[in-house]
Amino acid sequence: MADTSGATAEAATPFSLELSEDVRDIRDWVHGFARDVIRPAAAEWDQREETPWPILQEAAKIGLYSLDFFANQWFEPSGLGIPVTYEELYWGDPGIGLALTGTTLAAVSVAANGTQEQQVEWVPQMFGTPDDIKLAAFCSSEPNAGSDVSAIRTRAVYDEAKDEWVLNGTKTWATNGGIADVHVVVASVDPELGSRGQASFVVPPGTPGLSQGQKFHKHGIRASHTAEVVLDDVRVPGHCLLGGKEKLDARLARAREGQRSGGQAAMRTFETSRPTVGAMAVGCARAAYEYARDYSREREQFGGPIGDKQSVAFTLADMATRIDAARLLVWRAAWMGRNGKDFTQAEGSMSKLYASETATWVTGEAIRLLGGNGYTTEYPVERWHRDATIFTIFEGASEIQRLIIGRTVTGLPVR
């Protein structure tokens, strides 16, 4: 036995995967809303391809769409409040789920990059009140700069005489883009530095020069508004630079000297939110799996339920196993993020990669198990399959996640 007499004693924290009573209560409450309010309306809003304002209003009335709710879940001690909540919302419907949670990405950006004063000023304006609902949009991607944030061309130029930043460019794929009250825009302040020369800016409500460009008609998540955002000489006050100019100038100086600059604003937002996207994917996958499971119990072929057939049972077994594995990866990454643990093995990217690809596979298999019925709009699995595709694309495509994981585990430099 090893001699530990000289070791520094540390209080051991008991390991447990059991959710706290508070998290279980939240989970059950959100599940009830998803079951009773979201699911019955999902097909309608998918067809309409519009923001489901009545659902947002119902959520706001009970405190589900609110700053307090999301802040409380985000800072829940175990780190599991947000993934549990998002799984239930996206189990209800991914399109409506994104309409309800799309604002949080902009809020996370302010929390990750802004000062405390900026957080207090802007984040409440992103949600509004039950009587006056607000939306926010995070604008990073561009027509020629999606996963490659270093290719961002939107420029922010400082007008020292007026203490204003002037923004010009076009953003694309922005959730709530153009219809949001508050936009958070990632722009280049020093193009020669690539991604290290970027910063994030808050564009307040009603700022002249910001307009909605093309609204996208999408394959899935159609209840969530996605559009271009055009910035034409948009002027914002100096205090709208997240983190402040002094911090930006110091970071740029380090970057110009070849030192570590402390990371880029858009990437810090994505790193924080990747396990959250994984939770969305788990919810979507679980919805399809449960529907296929129940269908296999009731659908009879060749003298008995199809669930009796070994091929069907094996598929359901793989579905259940992959979903549980994805959930555990998401929970681990969320717990690490909440407790300040470094993602030394790219655990955040692992959770998003595996969960998103699980969702696409599970929903596809659900269609196959339902046969011709699964391919029709009379059954929800085809909609969930369309919705699931986005999880392998947004906030870093699967290829980007593999690149991040590969570079992390090999330790080889970025080229």
Side-chain angles (χ1 to χ4, degrees), residues 120-128 134-135 181-182 204-205:
V120 171
E121 179 178 5
W122 295 114
V123 177
Q125 295 187 49
M126 296 179 174
F127 290 90
K134 304 294 184 183
L135 299 175
D181 299 275
V182 178

Side-chain angles (χ1 to χ4, degrees), residues 298-306 309:
E298 300 169 1
R299 176 69 168 175
E300 294 200 358
Q301 291 284 293
F302 305 106
I306 63 172
K309 308 299 184 285

Side-chain angles (χ1 to χ4, degrees), residues 152-157 186-192 194 197-199 201:
I152 284 175
R153 294 293 177 264
T154 295
R155 285 297 311 277
V157 177
V186 179
S188 175
V189 296
D190 188 337
E192 293 184 1
Q198 296 169 3
F201 300 84

Side-chain angles (χ1 to χ4, degrees), residues 31 43 59 69 78 97 108 125 165 200 225 244 247 249 258 307 348 352 369:
H31 180 80
F69 175 76
S78 72
V108 167
Q125 295 187 49
W165 289 89
S200 292
H225 174 92
K247 183 177 179 180
D249 288 342
K352 181 192 183 294
L369 289 182

Side-chain angles (χ1 to χ4, degrees), residues 74 78-79 271-272 275 331-343:
W74 196 267
S78 72
E271 287 166 4
T272 304
W331 282 16
R332 178 183 68 170
W335 176 85
M336 291 176 68
R338 178 66 185 89
N339 288 279
K341 307 292 184 181
D342 291 334
F343 289 162

Side-chain angles (χ1 to χ4, degrees), residues 179-341:
I179 66 170
D181 299 275
V182 178
H183 292 75
V184 177
V185 176
V186 179
S188 175
V189 296
D190 188 337
E192 293 184 1
L193 294 175
S195 63
R196 294 178 299 166
Q198 296 169 3
S200 292
F201 300 84
V202 172
V203 181
T207 300
L210 184 148
S211 62
Q212 177 184 310
Q214 176 187 3
K215 176 184 176 181
F216 295 105
H217 298 281
K218 306 185 296 294
H219 178 65
I221 55 166
R222 300 199 298 187
S224 172
H225 174 92
T226 308
E228 291 180 328
V229 174
V230 179
L231 303 141
D232 183 11
D233 283 338
V234 172
R235 286 182 168 268
V236 298
H239 69 267
C240 288
L241 165 64
L242 291 181
K245 194 168 186 305
E246 182 177 348
K247 183 177 179 180
L248 172 65
D249 288 342
R251 178 162 62 84
L252 295 178
R254 291 194 300 272
R256 292 183 185 116
E257 293 172 0
Q259 302 176 24
R260 292 180 63 87
S261 61
Q264 196 280 325
M267 293 311 299
R268 284 199 296 276
T269 301
F270 291 141
E271 287 166 4
T272 304
S273 63
R274 278 175 184 144
T276 302
V277 177
M280 300 174 186
V282 170
C284 180
R286 193 184 108 214
Y289 157 70
E290 291 177 356
Y291 197 95
R293 178 200 62 197
D294 294 346
Y295 183 89
S296 73
R297 292 169 174 165
E298 300 169 1
R299 176 69 168 175
E300 294 200 358
Q301 291 284 293
F302 305 106
I306 63 172
D308 273 345
K309 308 299 184 285
Q310 189 178 74
S311 61
V312 173
F314 279 14
T315 299
L316 290 169
D318 286 343
M319 287 178 167
T321 301
R322 292 193 190 189
I323 290 169
D324 269 9
R327 182 183 295 111
L328 288 172
L329 282 171
V330 167
W331 282 16
R332 178 183 68 170
W335 176 85
M336 291 176 68
R338 178 66 185 89
N339 288 279
K341 307 292 184 181

Side-chain angles (χ1 to χ4, degrees), residues 71-113:
N72 288 340
Q73 300 319 303
W74 196 267
F75 293 106
E76 188 276 326
S78 72
L80 301 183
I82 283 292
V84 166
T85 296
Y86 276 48
E87 179 179 333
E88 297 304 329
L89 288 175
Y90 285 72
W91 172 90
D93 179 69
I96 294 177
L98 189 55
L100 285 165
T101 61
T103 287
T104 60
L105 187 58
V108 167
S109 179
V110 174
N113 301 293

